[in-house]
Short mmCIF file of all heavy atoms in Angstrom, two decimals:
data_model
loop_
_atom_site.label_atom_id
_atom_site.label_comp_id
_atom_site.label_asym_id
_atom_site.label_seq_id
_atom_site.Cartn_x
_atom_site.Cartn_y
_atom_site.Cartn_z
N LYS A 27 100.25 39.76 -34.05
CA LYS A 27 100.14 40.98 -33.35
C LYS A 27 99.56 42.09 -34.23
O LYS A 27 98.71 42.87 -33.83
CB LYS A 27 101.52 41.46 -32.83
CG LYS A 27 101.44 42.68 -31.93
CD LYS A 27 102.79 43.07 -31.35
CE LYS A 27 102.65 44.24 -30.36
NZ LYS A 27 101.98 45.38 -31.00
N SER A 28 100.01 42.13 -35.50
CA SER A 28 99.53 43.18 -36.42
C SER A 28 98.05 42.98 -36.71
O SER A 28 97.25 43.92 -36.81
CB SER A 28 100.36 43.18 -37.69
OG SER A 28 100.25 41.92 -38.35
N GLU A 29 97.67 41.68 -36.91
CA GLU A 29 96.24 41.40 -37.18
C GLU A 29 95.37 41.72 -35.97
O GLU A 29 94.27 42.27 -36.09
CB GLU A 29 96.07 39.93 -37.53
CG GLU A 29 96.63 39.56 -38.89
CD GLU A 29 96.59 38.07 -39.13
OE1 GLU A 29 96.70 37.29 -38.16
OE2 GLU A 29 96.42 37.66 -40.33
N ALA A 30 95.90 41.44 -34.75
CA ALA A 30 95.17 41.73 -33.54
C ALA A 30 94.99 43.23 -33.33
O ALA A 30 93.90 43.70 -32.95
CB ALA A 30 95.85 41.08 -32.32
N ASP A 31 96.05 43.99 -33.58
CA ASP A 31 95.98 45.46 -33.45
C ASP A 31 94.97 46.06 -34.40
O ASP A 31 94.20 46.95 -34.04
CB ASP A 31 97.37 46.08 -33.70
CG ASP A 31 98.35 45.76 -32.54
OD1 ASP A 31 97.90 45.36 -31.47
OD2 ASP A 31 99.55 45.86 -32.78
N LYS A 32 94.96 45.53 -35.63
CA LYS A 32 94.00 46.03 -36.62
C LYS A 32 92.60 45.74 -36.23
O LYS A 32 91.66 46.56 -36.40
CB LYS A 32 94.32 45.39 -37.99
CG LYS A 32 93.51 45.99 -39.13
CD LYS A 32 93.84 45.29 -40.49
CE LYS A 32 95.32 45.52 -40.82
NZ LYS A 32 95.67 44.92 -42.13
N LEU A 33 92.39 44.54 -35.67
CA LEU A 33 91.04 44.15 -35.21
C LEU A 33 90.57 44.96 -34.05
O LEU A 33 89.43 45.44 -33.96
CB LEU A 33 91.03 42.66 -34.82
CG LEU A 33 89.67 42.05 -34.50
CD1 LEU A 33 88.69 42.12 -35.69
CD2 LEU A 33 89.83 40.60 -34.05
N LYS A 34 91.48 45.29 -33.11
CA LYS A 34 91.13 46.12 -31.95
C LYS A 34 90.75 47.56 -32.39
O LYS A 34 89.82 48.14 -31.85
CB LYS A 34 92.33 46.19 -30.98
CG LYS A 34 92.60 44.87 -30.24
CD LYS A 34 93.86 44.99 -29.39
CE LYS A 34 94.17 43.68 -28.73
NZ LYS A 34 95.42 43.74 -27.98
N GLN A 35 91.47 48.09 -33.37
CA GLN A 35 91.13 49.39 -33.96
C GLN A 35 89.72 49.38 -34.58
O GLN A 35 88.97 50.35 -34.36
CB GLN A 35 92.18 49.81 -34.97
CG GLN A 35 93.57 50.11 -34.40
CD GLN A 35 94.58 50.37 -35.47
OE1 GLN A 35 94.28 50.39 -36.64
NE2 GLN A 35 95.80 50.60 -35.08
N LYS A 36 89.42 48.30 -35.24
CA LYS A 36 88.07 48.18 -35.84
C LYS A 36 86.98 48.12 -34.80
O LYS A 36 85.98 48.80 -34.88
CB LYS A 36 88.03 46.93 -36.71
CG LYS A 36 86.66 46.65 -37.36
CD LYS A 36 86.68 45.37 -38.15
CE LYS A 36 85.29 45.04 -38.70
NZ LYS A 36 85.31 43.77 -39.46
N TYR A 37 87.23 47.34 -33.72
CA TYR A 37 86.27 47.24 -32.61
C TYR A 37 86.11 48.56 -31.91
O TYR A 37 85.00 48.96 -31.51
CB TYR A 37 86.71 46.19 -31.59
CG TYR A 37 86.59 44.75 -32.12
CD1 TYR A 37 87.23 43.70 -31.48
CD2 TYR A 37 85.77 44.45 -33.23
CE1 TYR A 37 87.09 42.39 -31.91
CE2 TYR A 37 85.62 43.16 -33.67
CZ TYR A 37 86.30 42.15 -33.01
OH TYR A 37 86.15 40.83 -33.49
N ALA A 38 87.22 49.29 -31.71
CA ALA A 38 87.19 50.60 -31.03
C ALA A 38 86.34 51.60 -31.84
O ALA A 38 85.65 52.44 -31.28
CB ALA A 38 88.59 51.11 -30.82
N LYS A 39 86.43 51.49 -33.15
CA LYS A 39 85.71 52.41 -34.03
C LYS A 39 84.25 52.05 -34.16
O LYS A 39 83.33 52.90 -34.10
CB LYS A 39 86.37 52.43 -35.43
CG LYS A 39 85.72 53.35 -36.40
CD LYS A 39 86.44 53.35 -37.74
CE LYS A 39 85.77 54.26 -38.72
NZ LYS A 39 86.40 54.23 -40.08
N ASN A 40 83.97 50.76 -34.39
CA ASN A 40 82.60 50.38 -34.69
C ASN A 40 81.85 49.70 -33.55
O ASN A 40 80.67 49.39 -33.66
CB ASN A 40 82.59 49.41 -35.93
CG ASN A 40 83.28 50.03 -37.12
OD1 ASN A 40 83.07 51.22 -37.41
ND2 ASN A 40 84.04 49.21 -37.85
N GLY A 41 82.55 49.37 -32.45
CA GLY A 41 81.96 48.66 -31.36
C GLY A 41 82.11 47.15 -31.62
O GLY A 41 82.32 46.70 -32.75
N ASN A 42 82.05 46.38 -30.56
CA ASN A 42 82.28 44.95 -30.67
C ASN A 42 81.17 44.14 -30.04
O ASN A 42 81.37 43.00 -29.62
CB ASN A 42 83.67 44.53 -30.16
CG ASN A 42 83.79 44.74 -28.66
OD1 ASN A 42 83.13 45.66 -28.08
ND2 ASN A 42 84.57 43.95 -27.97
N ARG A 43 79.96 44.72 -29.96
CA ARG A 43 78.82 43.93 -29.46
C ARG A 43 78.54 42.81 -30.46
O ARG A 43 78.46 43.03 -31.64
CB ARG A 43 77.63 44.84 -29.32
CG ARG A 43 76.36 44.12 -28.85
CD ARG A 43 75.18 45.03 -28.90
NE ARG A 43 73.92 44.32 -28.52
CZ ARG A 43 72.73 44.86 -28.66
NH1 ARG A 43 72.56 46.10 -29.16
NH2 ARG A 43 71.65 44.16 -28.30
N ASP A 44 78.28 41.63 -29.96
CA ASP A 44 77.97 40.48 -30.79
C ASP A 44 76.51 40.06 -30.51
O ASP A 44 76.23 39.28 -29.61
CB ASP A 44 78.89 39.29 -30.54
CG ASP A 44 78.83 38.22 -31.61
OD1 ASP A 44 77.74 38.08 -32.22
OD2 ASP A 44 79.81 37.52 -31.83
N TYR A 45 75.59 40.67 -31.27
CA TYR A 45 74.16 40.38 -31.04
C TYR A 45 73.80 38.94 -31.34
O TYR A 45 72.92 38.37 -30.70
CB TYR A 45 73.34 41.32 -31.92
CG TYR A 45 71.84 41.23 -31.62
CD1 TYR A 45 71.32 41.82 -30.47
CD2 TYR A 45 70.96 40.59 -32.45
CE1 TYR A 45 69.99 41.74 -30.15
CE2 TYR A 45 69.62 40.51 -32.20
CZ TYR A 45 69.16 41.10 -31.05
OH TYR A 45 67.81 40.98 -30.73
N ARG A 46 74.54 38.34 -32.26
CA ARG A 46 74.33 36.88 -32.59
C ARG A 46 74.52 36.05 -31.36
O ARG A 46 73.65 35.20 -31.00
CB ARG A 46 75.32 36.48 -33.67
CG ARG A 46 75.35 35.02 -33.99
CD ARG A 46 76.52 34.71 -34.93
NE ARG A 46 77.75 35.16 -34.33
CZ ARG A 46 78.93 35.22 -35.02
NH1 ARG A 46 78.94 34.87 -36.28
NH2 ARG A 46 80.03 35.60 -34.38
N ASN A 47 75.59 36.26 -30.61
CA ASN A 47 75.84 35.47 -29.43
C ASN A 47 74.90 35.85 -28.25
O ASN A 47 74.61 35.00 -27.44
CB ASN A 47 77.32 35.63 -28.99
CG ASN A 47 78.23 34.74 -29.78
OD1 ASN A 47 77.82 34.07 -30.74
ND2 ASN A 47 79.52 34.67 -29.40
N GLU A 48 74.47 37.08 -28.28
CA GLU A 48 73.45 37.46 -27.24
C GLU A 48 72.22 36.63 -27.48
O GLU A 48 71.56 36.18 -26.49
CB GLU A 48 73.13 38.96 -27.36
CG GLU A 48 74.25 39.86 -26.85
CD GLU A 48 73.87 41.33 -26.95
OE1 GLU A 48 72.69 41.63 -27.30
OE2 GLU A 48 74.73 42.17 -26.68
N CYS A 49 71.83 36.41 -28.73
CA CYS A 49 70.67 35.56 -29.04
C CYS A 49 70.87 34.15 -28.60
O CYS A 49 69.98 33.50 -28.01
CB CYS A 49 70.35 35.61 -30.54
SG CYS A 49 69.77 37.19 -31.18
N ILE A 50 72.10 33.60 -28.86
CA ILE A 50 72.41 32.21 -28.49
C ILE A 50 72.33 32.08 -26.93
O ILE A 50 71.75 31.11 -26.41
CB ILE A 50 73.80 31.85 -28.96
CG1 ILE A 50 73.78 31.73 -30.50
CG2 ILE A 50 74.26 30.51 -28.38
CD1 ILE A 50 75.17 31.52 -31.12
N ASN A 51 72.90 33.04 -26.23
CA ASN A 51 72.94 32.93 -24.78
C ASN A 51 71.54 33.08 -24.20
O ASN A 51 71.23 32.46 -23.18
CB ASN A 51 73.84 34.03 -24.23
CG ASN A 51 75.33 33.68 -24.39
OD1 ASN A 51 75.74 32.53 -24.19
ND2 ASN A 51 76.12 34.61 -24.75
N GLU A 52 70.69 33.91 -24.82
CA GLU A 52 69.33 34.09 -24.31
C GLU A 52 68.55 32.80 -24.53
O GLU A 52 67.78 32.36 -23.66
CB GLU A 52 68.65 35.23 -25.06
CG GLU A 52 67.25 35.53 -24.60
CD GLU A 52 67.15 36.00 -23.16
OE1 GLU A 52 68.16 36.45 -22.63
OE2 GLU A 52 66.07 35.85 -22.58
N PHE A 53 68.81 32.12 -25.67
CA PHE A 53 68.16 30.82 -25.92
C PHE A 53 68.59 29.82 -24.91
O PHE A 53 67.79 29.08 -24.33
CB PHE A 53 68.47 30.32 -27.32
CG PHE A 53 68.13 28.85 -27.53
CD1 PHE A 53 66.82 28.48 -27.71
CD2 PHE A 53 69.10 27.89 -27.48
CE1 PHE A 53 66.45 27.12 -27.88
CE2 PHE A 53 68.78 26.53 -27.63
CZ PHE A 53 67.45 26.17 -27.83
N LEU A 54 69.89 29.73 -24.64
CA LEU A 54 70.42 28.75 -23.67
C LEU A 54 69.86 28.98 -22.25
O LEU A 54 69.59 28.06 -21.52
CB LEU A 54 71.94 28.81 -23.61
CG LEU A 54 72.69 28.28 -24.88
CD1 LEU A 54 74.20 28.53 -24.78
CD2 LEU A 54 72.45 26.76 -25.02
N LYS A 55 69.72 30.26 -21.93
CA LYS A 55 69.17 30.63 -20.63
C LYS A 55 67.74 30.13 -20.49
O LYS A 55 67.33 29.46 -19.50
CB LYS A 55 69.23 32.14 -20.39
CG LYS A 55 68.65 32.60 -19.09
CD LYS A 55 68.74 34.10 -18.97
CE LYS A 55 68.17 34.60 -17.65
NZ LYS A 55 68.19 36.09 -17.58
#
């Protein structure tokens, strides 16, 4: 729970867009 809360705070601050996976999904499409 503590690790998850810390990760959520990081995502809230910096954003959690994963451009790497966007590239993978575009390739698969």
Side-chain angles (χ1 to χ4, degrees):
K27 186 178 184 305
S28 61
E29 290 174 328
D31 289 341
K32 188 180 296 184
L33 187 61
K34 289 175 183 177
Q35 291 174 2
K36 178 182 176 181
Y37 287 164
K39 180 180 179 181
N40 303 320
N42 64 330
R43 177 188 177 190
D44 194 332
Y45 188 74
R46 171 189 57 191
N47 279 6
E48 288 181 6
C49 290
I50 293 173
N51 285 318
E52 183 63 23
F53 166 76
L54 289 173
K55 180 180 177 181

